[in-house]
Amino acid sequence: MALSALYELPAPAKLNLFLHVVGRRADGYHLLQSLFVLIDWCDTLHVECRTDGRLLRHDLSSTLPDDDLCLRAARALQTASGTGLGADINIDKRVPWGAGLGGGSSDAATTLLALNRLWALHWPRARLLELGLSLGADVPFFINGSNAFVEGIGERITPVAVAPSCFAVVKPAAALPTAQIFAHPALKRDTQPVIVVGSFANAKLLNDWNAGRFEFGGNDLQPCAQELCPEVMAVAQWLQVHHGNSRMTGSGSAVFANLGSAVQPMATWPPQPLAAGWVGRLCRSLPEHPLRGWAA
């Protein structure tokens, strides 16, 4: 029997445990290396099939832009597949935008995985990955569904097993546009690339992380982000004081602290009230995307 709807679909956020800019292509795209980890801060999507070919999005909480990334993803899949079906895409938005948590990209990936099943397209993961990359650098990571070492412009993905961890994640009121950071004249664009010898599990950065050390690398975008948005520095300092470490994730304004694998009772966090406009929560890493099994 054909499916008519899919409900309660998670779109998890991610953290960049480090993010290095290692070069720049002739076309202006920056070359990155990063360790991506899925966390349990999620948006929720409900997708219903339409027979009239229309693609409509319905906002259940925060209001999104008229033509957001999940609508563009649905349109791209509809065009590439030639299907005459459409969809109502309902989004309960919980992951803050402009935070560097990949919320929009994750919504797009969940949309592609859902419509691939709802429209009975049966596209393999490799084909969805190719389409995802045309939408944004982070989309392939979420479609792939594993914690991963990501290189290039997001197209080179090496799954890795990252030790479970708990994170305090805080986003200030301000959001940061990605283009503004990458255009900053002071951005460091020549960090020495990580060379992986043998299996990635033997690389120093992963060994350090899984041993509970938070010393490797950093986020090359953070100095420019802090200059553009002093609130990023304020959040980083707040986390440093309360948790002993802090690092910005992605190209947004959210900052996280690694709390290790110990269980942190929710009643003990935050240790003091967050500043006005700040949003934060304790998150746990996920071993894989909850919908990873939806594409072969």
Side-chain angles (χ1 to χ4, degrees):
M1 181 179 298
L3 292 172
S4 61
L6 295 165
Y7 298 111
E8 301 293 335
L9 306 179
K14 57 81 179 169
L15 296 175
N16 298 85
L17 302 191
F18 75 90
L19 195 162
H20 294 167
V21 183
V22 299
R24 197 172 189 178
R25 301 194 322 190
D27 60 8
Y29 282 96
H30 289 81
L31 299 172
L32 309 176
Q33 288 189 326
S34 186
L35 185 58
F36 283 51
V37 170
L38 295 157
I39 57 173
D40 62 359
W41 197 346
C42 300
D43 294 337
T44 303
L45 280 69
H46 316 284
V47 186
E48 301 167 347
C49 191
R50 297 179 65 104
T51 58
D52 61 3
R54 298 183 68 194
L55 296 170
L56 300 176
R57 193 199 68 238
H58 310 280
D59 300 330
L60 304 182
S61 49
S62 302
T63 301
L64 298 173
D66 289 341
D67 193 30
D68 76 318
L69 196 56
C70 75
L71 270 181
R72 284 152 48 198
R75 192 163 55 246
L77 183 61
Q78 185 185 59
T79 299
S81 67
T83 183
L85 297 173
D88 285 295
I89 304 168
N90 304 272
I91 301 183
D92 184 2
K93 187 71 180 168
R94 298 299 176 187
V95 177
W97 69 275
L101 296 169
S105 296
S106 187
D107 292 343
T110 292
T111 297
L112 290 175
L113 291 166
L115 293 179
N116 187 43
R117 173 169 286 203
L118 199 61
W119 292 343
L121 301 178
H122 307 298
W123 277 26
R125 190 185 314 278
R127 197 171 180 188
L128 291 173
L129 286 170
E130 184 177 352
L131 186 65
L133 186 61
S134 72
L135 296 164
D138 290 347
V139 179
F141 163 73
F142 290 106
I143 294 173
N144 198 61
S146 299
N147 297 322
F149 181 58
V150 179
E151 300 178 87
I153 60 170
E155 81 284 9
R156 295 163 58 193
I157 303 171
T158 304
V160 297
V162 179
S165 291
C166 183
F167 304 95
V169 185
V170 179
K171 179 196 174 293
L176 276 171
T178 299
Q180 194 173 3
I181 296 179
F182 278 106
H184 199 290
L187 176 64
K188 181 176 174 58
R189 298 178 170 89
D190 59 353
T191 295
Q192 187 69 22
V194 173
I195 304 299
V196 178
V197 179
S199 69
F200 185 78
N202 292 326
K204 181 180 185 301
L205 68 95
L206 194 59
N207 283 340
D208 283 353
W209 181 265
N210 286 343
R213 296 188 293 271
F214 195 52
E215 301 165 358
F216 178 84
N219 186 333
D220 286 345
L221 310 183
Q222 188 165 347
C224 295
Q226 291 180 160
E227 182 180 328
L228 293 167
C229 179
E231 274 195 282
V232 173
M233 181 177 291
V235 171
Q237 291 173 341
W238 187 92
L239 287 169
Q240 191 74 36
V241 167
H242 292 291
H243 299 297
N245 66 84
S246 66
R247 184 168 294 173
M248 190 180 84
T249 180
S251 60
S253 57
V255 184
F256 66 94
N258 171 27
L259 307 185
S261 59
V263 174
Q264 303 289 328
M266 291 299 292
T268 67
W269 199 90
Q272 69 178 53
L274 298 176
W278 290 14
V279 178
R281 58 173 287 175
L282 287 185
C283 300
R284 289 202 171 277
S285 60
L286 298 174
E288 64 179 20
H289 195 293
L291 304 182
R292 174 162 168 73
W294 281 27

